[in-house]
Amino acid sequence: MRKEIRLNPIRYPLNHEAAYRSALLVIIEQMRQRLYSELKTNNAQTNEHYQAAIDSILEDYINNPMLGLTLATNFVKGLDKYHQRLFFSDIKRQIGVDVSDFISKSAINELMRQAISWNVDLIQSIPTELLPQLKQVVSESFSELGFDQAHLKKQIDQRFNVTKSRAKLIARDQTNKTIGNMTQFRQQGLGIQEYIWLGVDDQRERATHVANNNKRFRYDSPPPLTGNAGQDYNCLPEYSKIKASSSINKIFRRYVNTSTGELTEIITRSG
C-alpha cells in the first residue's frame, strides 16, 4: 500500500530578515553619525574638509575585513537552524522517520560557507559603493553653491537613505536566496529533482516569472531567464504568504515504515 504526503512549504523567516536588516541599518547609521561628528570636530567648511572626512570614516569600514563576518555568519547559521527544524520536523511528523542523516553534513557546510562569503562581500560593498557617491555629492554641491551647510547635510542624508534602501533589499534578497538554496539542497538530498513553479499572481510579478507559472522544472535544468525558484532577485520561492498552493511535484525517494510495512512516497508542494 502506498500513501502520499505533502511537505509543507518553509514559512518565510520574517524575524531573520528583520534582524539582518536592522543590523545593516545600524552599520550605515553609525557611518553617518561618525561622519557628522568628524565634520563638526574639524569645523569643516570646504570641499577638501568634507572629502577628507568622508575618506577617513568610510575607509575605516572598507579596510575592516571583519566588518561583515560575524553578522553574515550569524545570519546564515540562524537560517540553517530554522530551515533544519521546519524541514526535517515536517517529514518526521508525517512519516515518523528522521531523515536528517540522509543529508551530507559536509556539503551543507560548504553551502553555508559560500553563503557567508557572499554576504560578507555584500556587507563590505556598502561602504565601498557609498564612499565615491558621497564624494561626488559633496563636490557637485560645492561647485554649484559653495559652502551651504544645510544643503550639504540634506544631500548627504539623501545618499545615506538610498544606501539604507539598498541594505533592506540585500536583507530580503539574501534571506530569499539562502532559504531557497537550503530547500533545494535538502530536497535533492532526499531524491527530489523537480518542482512546479507557482507565482503570486499579482501586479508585482515580473513577466519572466509569469511565463514560468505552473510549469515543471528540474533543479539541474532551471528556466534560463530566471534560474530556479528563489534565485532571481527578490524572488520568493515555496513560501509565498500571498498564495499557498497545494499543487504537487511528485518525487522522490520512498521510505518504508518498518513497524507497518507501509510504503510512503513523499510529495512536496510549493507556494
Side-chain angles (χ1 to χ4, degrees), residues 101-134:
D101 287 341
F102 284 85
I103 308 297
S104 168
K105 300 297 190 296
S106 60
I108 192 67
N109 287 338
E110 175 59 20
L111 184 150
M112 291 172 62
R113 187 197 66 76
Q114 292 175 1
I116 291 169
S117 177
W118 181 247
N119 277 273
V120 168
D121 288 345
L122 285 171
I123 295 168
Q124 202 71 38
S125 75
I126 292 173
T128 300
E129 293 185 10
L130 181 59
L131 187 147
Q133 293 169 357
L134 285 176

Side-chain angles (χ1 to χ4, degrees), residues 221-237:
S221 184
L225 297 181
T226 62
N228 281 315
Q231 295 308 299
D232 205 5
Y233 191 74
N234 215 22
C235 176
L236 302 171

Side-chain angles (χ1 to χ4, degrees), residues 4-11 83 86-95 97 99 183 186-188 190-192 194 219 238 244-249 251-253 255 264-271:
E4 286 188 351
I5 65 170
R6 296 181 182 182
L7 299 182
N8 292 315
I10 301 296
R11 293 191 307 273
H83 193 278
L86 294 185
F87 186 84
F88 292 120
S89 65
D90 186 35
I91 297 176
K92 186 173 183 179
R93 177 180 60 82
Q94 299 196 59
I95 67 174
V97 177
V99 298
T183 296
R186 289 191 165 109
Q187 286 187 354
Q188 287 185 295
L190 296 178
I192 303 169
E194 297 179 335
Y219 278 123
E238 296 195 300
S245 171
S246 60
S247 293
I248 299 172
N249 168 30
I251 7 179
F252 307 130
R253 181 169 297 173
Y255 298 91
T264 299
E265 182 176 11
I266 302 175
I267 305 295
T268 188
R269 64 178 181 174
S270 60

Side-chain angles (χ1 to χ4, degrees), residues 25-239:
L25 294 178
V26 165
I27 292 173
I28 296 168
E29 183 59 22
Q30 286 176 345
M31 294 179 197
R32 193 180 75 88
Q33 294 295 338
R34 285 189 60 193
L35 176 60
Y36 283 137
S37 177
E38 178 81 2
L39 292 171
K40 183 177 180 180
T41 299
N42 293 313
N43 192 28
Q45 297 185 22
T46 67
N47 182 35
E48 290 73 19
H49 285 151
Y50 273 79
Q51 299 287 350
I54 292 168
D55 284 334
S56 174
I57 300 303
L58 268 71
E59 285 181 0
D60 278 353
Y61 291 89
I62 294 170
N63 296 326
N64 179 5
M66 300 300 293
L67 173 64
L69 183 59
T70 300
L71 174 55
T73 299
N74 290 340
F75 167 65
V76 173
K77 286 186 174 180
L79 284 181
D80 180 59
K81 185 176 180 180
Y82 173 86
H83 193 278
Q84 282 189 65
R85 177 173 58 83
L86 294 185
F87 186 84
F88 292 120
S89 65
D90 186 35
I91 297 176
K92 186 173 183 179
R93 177 180 60 82
Q94 299 196 59
I95 67 174
V97 177
D98 182 357
V99 298
S100 59
D101 287 341
F102 284 85
I103 308 297
S104 168
K105 300 297 190 296
S106 60
I108 192 67
N109 287 338
E110 175 59 20
L111 184 150
M112 291 172 62
R113 187 197 66 76
Q114 292 175 1
I116 291 169
S117 177
W118 181 247
N119 277 273
V120 168
D121 288 345
L122 285 171
I123 295 168
Q124 202 71 38
S125 75
I126 292 173
T128 300
E129 293 185 10
L130 181 59
L131 187 147
Q133 293 169 357
L134 285 176
K135 290 171 73 72
Q136 181 179 356
V137 163
V138 168
S139 292
E140 290 175 353
S141 181
F142 270 100
S143 296
E144 295 170 3
L145 301 173
F147 179 61
D148 184 329
Q149 191 173 45
H151 177 77
L152 271 171
K153 185 178 186 302
K154 181 179 179 180
Q155 295 297 306
I156 290 171
D157 284 345
Q158 286 179 349
R159 180 47 52 188
F160 271 103
N161 287 337
V162 170
T163 300
K164 288 179 179 180
S165 294
R166 177 173 176 252
K168 294 174 184 178
L169 289 175
I170 288 173
R172 181 164 64 249
D173 182 61
Q174 289 305 302
T175 301
N176 292 337
K177 282 186 169 61
T178 305
I179 285 290
N181 286 339
M182 289 175 177
T183 296
Q184 176 178 340
F185 177 85
R186 289 191 165 109
Q187 286 187 354
Q188 287 185 295
L190 296 178
I192 303 169
Q193 300 300 332
E194 297 179 335
Y195 63 93
I196 295 173
W197 184 298
L198 294 170
V200 295
D201 294 333
D202 68 14
Q203 67 276 9
R204 297 174 302 170
E205 193 167 10
R206 284 159 278 187
T208 50
H209 292 204
V210 172
N212 293 341
N213 201 28
N214 293 313
K215 293 181 181 178
R216 185 185 298 269
F217 297 101
R218 287 184 59 87
Y219 278 123
D220 59 5
S221 184
L225 297 181
T226 62
N228 281 315
Q231 295 308 299
D232 205 5
Y233 191 74
N234 215 22
C235 176
L236 302 171
E238 296 195 300
Y239 39 71

